[in-house]
Amino acid sequence: MGRIRTKIILTYALLTLVVIVSVGMLANLKVESTYKDRLVSDLISRADLILTLLRTQPTTGPQGTDTRLKEVARISNLRVTLIDSIGMVLFDSDVPFDELNNVENHLHRSEVQLALARGIGTDTRHSADVGKDVMHVAKRLDASDAKGLLAGVKFIRLSQHLEDIHAAVNEIRWGMFAAGCSVLLLVVAVSVLVSRRLASPMVAIVKGVEEIRGGNLDARLDVHSEDEIGRVARAVNEMVDRLKIDIAQLKKLERVRSEFLGNVSHELRTPIFSLQGFLETLMNGAVDDPTVNRNFLQKAYSHAARLNTLLGDLITISQIESGEMKLSFRYFRVKEFLGSLVNDFKQIAERNDVKLDLDTRLPGEVDVYGDKERLAVALGNLIENAIKYNKQDGEVMISCQQEDGRVHVSVVDTGVGIGKEHLPRIFERFYRVDKNRSRDVGGTGLGLAIVKHIVEAHGSTVEVESEVGKGSTFSFCLKT
């Protein structure tokens, strides 16, 4: 987290420094420009004042003009230069009168050229004589102005050292520098507090994630802020909760898978071993013994049939639970459907000394909505169980009646019944109330699980009522 805090602090500090330097440079340029503009305006005003003074003075000759000019320059604290139309310096407050002939021509000075073109010209140059920057402002005189002491003068130029401006600008610069340093220190202090506040929940998140990564799924990120960091913490907590659920489900599925494989192997082993035993006996000579060969063949066939039924049920339950089994819903006549099922199981019921009947209490022909083939499998399993687990001379009644826009279908038997302690688990795969009897009658332990899935796929549930020794009732509803 130290790196994050450092990055946050450096980012704030560098951004502030860039802003301060940029603003400082712009402000410095603006201040210096403003001072120079004010100085130019001031020099132009002074030039007008000096021109007025010189214009109103009587002519006293060159020496007198020079003396008057130097007096005006001293009072104004300026250097005043008078230049004729060809650039000759006629008077200069800083040059003795008798040395004016040695002064170079000023016609090509930039301020003079600008004044010649626009009336006013300015320029700033470094003076080698005084070692300072000097501001020069030249003004062009009209013909009406060139009289009195100004006779023959074409330009008046005022010059002033910029050391006062530089001093003022430097003072402002130092003030801005001090203010910038103060702001920078304040921003660094604030960024330290902000980075600490931002980094603290992130530290908690990192520690929590490391615990979770280490396998502690009970660890929680204790961050309750409403910002993005809090949302990340809540998302991680929710993800861990889902992960715990997924792991629990995976463990459950693994346990179910292990139990399923164990049950399948056990259920397959019994008929396979029996088949092997009967066939081995026949191969060892019993096939030639008419007293046992037919009996052994019948038993082998019975176990083969049971094995085939088991494999069929395994395929069906696998398709259902994997989602591979697709249902085809359509409307069909329920009375005709139930009658056909009863006819299919009549012979089986008679062989088991069980009476099988159909009781329909429907007001005419009624259509139900569902997968006819899958419902035949589910009801077939219920009817087959009702016959197999019934008493001698027992009864099985298939009934249906219309209730609240749905058809209620029931399979009622007078068989051995189911104890209350077994009812919550009878729809589990391979669960048997009486294991020995179930195998004797050829049960696979998957029939009711298949019934449950098919009925639930039709938006209903299987209801069970049973009493030991009196029989059972399995019922569900179908949409009309």
Side-chain angles (χ1 to χ4, degrees):
M1 285 302 108
R3 292 183 179 180
I4 293 179
R5 293 184 59 186
T6 301
K7 288 179 180 179
I8 293 174
I9 294 172
L10 288 178
T11 300
Y12 274 101
L14 289 176
L15 181 60
T16 304
L17 184 61
V18 169
V19 172
I20 290 175
V21 171
S22 301
V23 172
M25 292 177 64
L26 293 174
N28 177 65
L29 293 175
K30 184 64 176 177
V31 167
E32 190 170 359
S33 174
T34 300
Y35 267 97
K36 287 183 177 181
D37 290 343
R38 289 183 179 179
L39 179 59
V40 169
S41 299
D42 182 61
L43 291 177
I44 292 174
S45 298
R46 291 188 183 189
D48 291 337
L49 179 61
I50 292 172
L51 286 174
T52 301
L53 291 174
L54 294 177
R55 192 184 303 116
T56 59
Q57 295 294 319
T59 302
T60 58
Q63 288 284 356
T65 302
D66 183 71
T67 301
R68 185 61 177 162
L69 184 64
K70 284 180 170 56
E71 182 180 356
V72 171
R74 179 183 61 80
I75 295 173
S76 303
N77 194 26
L78 297 170
R79 180 181 179 179
V80 181
T81 306
L82 300 180
I83 306 168
D84 65 10
S85 59
I86 61 173
M88 295 294 294
V89 176
L90 301 179
F91 301 98
D92 193 315
S93 61
D94 284 5
V95 179
F97 181 75
D98 53 2
E99 297 181 7
L100 289 175
N101 292 331
N102 297 326
V103 178
E104 67 180 24
N105 191 285
H106 280 34
L107 182 63
H108 298 291
R109 298 286 175 91
S110 59
E111 66 275 9
V112 174
Q113 287 293 314
L114 288 173
L116 181 63
R118 298 184 300 192
I120 299 293
T122 63
D123 188 31
T124 300
R125 294 190 297 274
H126 184 77
S127 174
D129 296 335
V130 297
K132 299 177 182 179
D133 290 337
V134 178
M135 168 73 76
H136 301 284
V137 175
K139 181 175 182 179
R140 186 186 64 203
L141 276 64
D142 296 332
S144 59
D145 294 327
K147 58 184 179 180
L149 297 180
L150 298 176
V153 176
K154 184 64 175 177
F155 304 96
I156 180 172
R157 187 186 71 174
L158 304 184
S159 304
Q160 184 172 356
H161 300 150
L162 296 179
E163 57 183 359
D164 292 338
I165 292 179
H166 289 163
V169 171
N170 286 334
E171 184 177 354
I172 293 175
R173 286 173 180 169
W174 282 108
M176 293 174 60
F177 177 76
C181 290
S182 301
V183 171
L184 183 61
L185 290 175
L186 179 62
V187 169
V188 170
V190 171
S191 63
V192 169
L193 296 176
V194 171
S195 64
R196 182 178 301 169
R197 184 173 181 180
L198 292 176
S200 296
M202 297 181 71
V203 169
I205 290 176
V206 170
K207 289 181 178 179
V209 170
E210 288 178 349
E211 286 189 39
I212 294 169
R213 185 177 61 183
N216 182 14
L217 297 183
D218 292 326
R220 284 293 177 272
L221 305 185
D222 191 20
V223 178
H224 304 290
S225 60
E226 297 300 326
D227 55 11
E228 287 77 5
I229 296 178
R231 292 168 59 187
V232 169
R234 288 193 294 274
V236 172
N237 288 335
E238 292 173 0
M239 181 181 66
V240 172
D241 289 337
R242 288 196 297 269
L243 182 61
K244 288 176 67 177
I245 294 173
D246 292 341
I247 290 175
Q249 290 179 342
L250 287 174
K251 289 181 178 179
K252 181 180 179 181
L253 289 174
E254 179 62 24
R255 184 174 66 254
V256 170
R257 186 186 69 86
S258 299
E259 293 176 357
F260 180 75
L261 290 176
N263 289 328
V264 168
S265 63
H266 180 73
E267 295 294 331
L268 290 174
R269 188 181 296 115
T270 301
I272 290 175
F273 282 175
S274 298
L275 277 170
Q276 287 178 334
F278 291 129
L279 293 175
E280 184 178 357
T281 302
L282 290 170
M283 291 172 61
N284 289 335
V287 69
D288 297 322
D289 186 350
T291 60
V292 297
N293 56 8
R294 188 174 183 83
N295 183 35
F296 276 25
L297 285 173
Q298 288 178 342
K299 290 183 178 180
Y301 176 80
S302 175
H303 283 287
R306 178 185 171 193
L307 185 60
N308 182 63
T309 301
L310 176 60
L311 290 175
D313 285 349
L314 285 173
I315 293 172
T316 301
I317 198 72
S318 176
Q319 289 177 337
I320 291 173
E321 294 186 349
S322 64
E324 294 180 2
M325 187 181 73
K326 304 300 181 183
L327 300 181
S328 178
F329 288 87
R330 59 177 57 88
Y331 284 98
F332 59 91
R333 297 290 173 85
V334 64
K335 186 183 296 186
E336 180 181 330
F337 168 69
L338 294 177
S340 176
L341 277 176
V342 170
N343 289 332
D344 290 341
F345 283 92
K346 276 285 188 181
Q347 189 176 0
I348 299 176
E350 290 174 357
R351 285 203 303 264
N352 287 269
D353 295 326
V354 172
K355 182 181 179 182
L356 177 61
D357 286 321
L358 174 63
D359 179 19
T360 58
R361 304 173 186 176
L362 298 176
E365 293 293 343
V366 176
D367 291 340
V368 294
Y369 186 68
D371 188 320
K372 188 176 181 180
E373 293 182 0
R374 301 302 178 186
L375 287 172
V377 172
L379 273 170
N381 285 340
L382 292 178
I383 295 172
E384 186 176 7
N385 285 345
I387 294 172
K388 289 179 179 179
Y389 299 102
N390 216 313
K391 304 173 183 177
Q392 188 173 3
D393 298 326
E395 295 183 2
V396 175
M397 179 65 69
I398 313 301
S399 66
C400 63
Q401 57 185 2
Q402 197 165 11
E403 297 177 356
D404 300 327
R406 308 181 81 184
V407 171
H408 188 267
V409 181
S410 300
V411 178
V412 184
D413 67 66
T414 58
V416 297
I418 304 171
K420 292 182 179 180
E421 70 276 11
H422 298 292
L423 290 177
R425 301 190 61 188
I426 60 174
F427 293 103
E428 295 180 10
R429 294 175 300 183
F430 296 111
Y431 185 81
R432 289 185 172 88
V433 176
D434 187 341
K435 297 182 180 179
N436 293 328
R437 179 174 173 80
S438 296
R439 291 194 176 93
D440 290 339
V441 298
T444 64
L446 296 173
L448 289 181
I450 294 173
V451 172
K452 174 179 179 291
H453 283 293
I454 292 176
V455 171
E456 288 181 350
H458 284 74
S460 184
T461 56
V462 184
E463 303 291 338
V464 184
E465 296 179 3
S466 185
E467 186 175 350
V468 176
K470 294 186 177 181
S472 305
T473 299
F474 288 80
S475 59
F476 60 90
C477 293
L478 293 175
K479 296 178 182 179
T480 59

